[in-house]
Amino acid sequence: MDAKTIISILVSLLTISSAIFIVVLQRKTERIKIIENQLSEKKYKAYSELVGIFYNIFKDVKNNTPADNGNLISQLIDVKKDLFIYGSDDVFRKFTTWLSFSTENQNDLNHMNYFLDLMLEIRKDMGKKNTSLTKNEIMLNLIQDKKVLDEFSEYWK
C-alpha cells in the first residue's frame, strides 16, 4: 500500500470515529436533558403541593371550617419526602426551618416570617432568581387588608 491509500484509510476511520463519537455524545446529552426535565417536573409538583397545602389551610380558616388533620399530616409527609428528593438545598432548609419553628412555637406568629422566606425561596428556585416580591406583598395578596398587614408586618421585617 502506498502512502496516499494509508492516509485515505486513516482519514476515513477518523471521520467515522468522529461521527460515532458525536452521535453518542448527542444521545447522552438528550438523555441528560430528559432526566433533568423529569426531575424538574417532580420538583415543581412538590413545590406546588406544598403551596397547595398552605392555601387549603387558608381556605379552611377563611371559611371557618375545621381542617382534616389526618389528611393534612399525610399530605405534609408526602411533601417532605418529595422536597427531600427533588427540592433544592435552600428550599429544603427553609422548609425545615419553618416546620421546626412552627412545631416548637405553635402560637407564635413569627412562623409567618419563615413561611414567607420559604415562599420566596421557592419562587427563586423556580426560575425567578431576581424576584422583587417582598414578604409584605405576599401577605397583602393573602390577607387583602393593609391595616391588618400593618399590624402583623412586624413579624416578618
Side-chain angles (χ1 to χ4, degrees):
M1 275 204 249
D2 64 348
K4 284 186 176 184
T5 306
I6 293 173
I7 290 174
S8 294
I9 292 171
L10 286 174
V11 168
S12 296
L13 287 173
L14 286 173
T15 303
I16 292 170
S17 297
S18 296
I20 291 171
F21 177 72
I22 289 171
V23 168
V24 168
L25 186 61
Q26 285 177 336
R27 291 181 88 196
K28 286 190 181 230
T29 302
E30 287 175 21
R31 284 185 21 214
I32 289 170
K33 285 182 181 179
I34 289 169
I35 291 169
E36 285 176 349
N37 284 337
Q38 288 173 339
L39 290 174
S40 183
E41 287 175 18
K42 291 184 181 208
K43 174 172 62 172
Y44 295 148
K45 182 178 179 269
Y47 292 171
S48 178
E49 287 178 7
L50 171 61
V51 173
I53 290 171
F54 174 77
Y55 275 90
N56 287 337
I57 293 170
F58 190 64
K59 283 184 211 174
D60 289 342
V61 169
K62 285 283 193 181
N63 293 326
N64 289 322
T65 57
D68 180 0
N69 287 338
N71 187 38
L72 180 64
I73 290 170
S74 178
Q75 287 177 322
L76 202 52
I77 289 171
D78 288 341
V79 167
K80 280 181 173 185
K81 175 193 67 161
D82 290 342
L83 284 181
F84 173 70
I85 294 171
Y86 305 113
S88 74
D89 292 350
D90 290 334
V91 169
F92 180 82
R93 287 183 184 112
K94 298 276 185 193
F95 177 68
T96 302
T97 300
W98 171 61
L99 278 181
S100 296
F101 186 87
S102 298
T103 301
E104 296 165 4
N105 306 284
Q106 291 183 6
N107 296 321
D108 189 337
L109 288 179
N110 270 321
H111 78 90
M112 285 306 296
N113 184 42
Y114 298 108
F115 176 78
L116 293 170
D117 284 340
L118 171 62
M119 292 300 103
L120 289 172
E121 195 60 46
I122 286 173
R123 284 183 57 82
K124 288 177 186 175
D125 193 42
M126 291 183 73
K128 310 257 190 254
K129 297 230 181 274
N130 298 319
T131 184
S132 63
L133 282 182
T134 64
K135 293 177 182 181
N136 277 351
E137 289 173 315
I138 295 171
M139 283 304 295
L140 182 58
N141 178 267
L142 291 171
I143 58 178
Q144 302 166 348
D145 187 330
K146 286 186 178 186
K147 290 178 185 176
V148 174
L149 176 66
D150 290 340
E151 293 172 20
F152 292 104
S153 64
E154 69 186 63
Y155 292 104
W156 49 84
K157 284 187 179 180

